[in-house]
Amino acid sequence: MSVKLLQLCPVLPATQTVLDANYTVLRMPSAAGDEWFAEHAGDIEAVVTGGHLGIETSLAERLPKLRIVAINGVGYDRIDLDAMRRLDVRVTNTPDVLTDDVADLAIALMLNAMRGLPAVERHVREGRWPAAQPALTRRASGLRYGIVGMGRIGQAIAQRLSGFGGSIAYTGPSRKAVPYDYHADLRSLAAASDVLFLASPASAATRGIIDRGVLDALGPQGVLVNIARGSIVDEPALVDALVERRLGGAGLDVFENEPHVPAALLDLPHVALAPHVGSATVETRHAMGQLMLDNLERFFAGEALLTPVV
Ligand code: 8YV
């Protein structure tokens, strides 16, 4: 009898094939009631979930044999880690394998917001080139770049930016061994930046830290790029700043209430939007799936986890 595993998010077909071959995979109906829990919950030992999804503590508490939550993603902000420790549940994630793709997307969003690539492409596709040139855009190189969160992804963004000329500075809970200026204070970093990249993990400590004061410090020429989590930003304050042009632009892959994007952002030409696709390449999603599977396999073989969170 194979281990019973509850799958909360879709994975690539190749990953799914391995899951199905090695586990008894269950999915939870959206309206799972007491009957479903009575029939299945008693012997579920593993949960597979996405970084943006996590697992509610109340669900974990209803799975008495749960031993491991394997996240197919790097973020673990949707999981109460203290609760998992209390329930004696291990948690794994998929760091490193997605770093480069997420950093690439951060640069792409900066370029989309500043060079207006979606708009100039529409200009060509809609046959408007023969009649008119598109509006001029803004130079994205040689600027003062600020990075909030100098972890793996922040460092990968900095590496890419080093090819853009200009200067790089960062903030975070502590100074890192990197050759960039450190600002202990987020607002001071924003005031000293033309483009501010958000690459920090989401937590209670980072909720809403990009507030009106930070956005105003970034200012009417400043651009905000967020490839981390929507919760880091006070989203209504961001929308107001963009609509009132107190902020120069934004490139956003993540939002407070995904998949819902504030309607006011949809028509703003100085805003580039993406539907949380930082890690969404075939190569990276395969690597994430494999790392998630490897963690599960090692756990049930009694071996050390490759990328444990808890
Ligand atoms: C994905 C992510 O959206 O890794 C993360 O934390 O947010 C993204 O890679 C997701 O986790 C895929 O399941």
Side-chain angles (χ1 to χ4, degrees), residues 50-75:
H52 57 294
L53 197 64
I55 181 172
E56 296 282 346
T57 302
S58 57
L59 172 58
E61 282 169 344
R62 293 188 77 178
L63 307 176
K65 293 227 175 100
L66 181 62
R67 300 164 67 200
I68 181 166
V69 175
I71 308 173
N72 188 36
V74 70

Side-chain angles (χ1 to χ4, degrees), residues 9 49-52 71-75 94 98 228-229 276 279 285 288:
C9 71
T49 188
H52 57 294
I71 308 173
N72 188 36
V74 70
T94 62
L98 44 60
R229 284 290 186 266
H276 200 148
S279 69
R285 286 288 163 87
M288 290 162 66

Side-chain angles (χ1 to χ4, degrees), residues 10-46:
V11 294
L12 286 190
T15 311
Q16 190 67 53
T17 302
V18 181
L19 274 182
D20 291 338
N22 293 292
Y23 304 92
T24 302
V25 177
L26 295 175
R27 289 185 182 75
M28 206 167 64
S30 51
D34 290 344
E35 212 175 302
W36 186 90
F37 278 94
E39 191 179 340
H40 301 292
D43 35 38
I44 290 171
E45 292 183 65

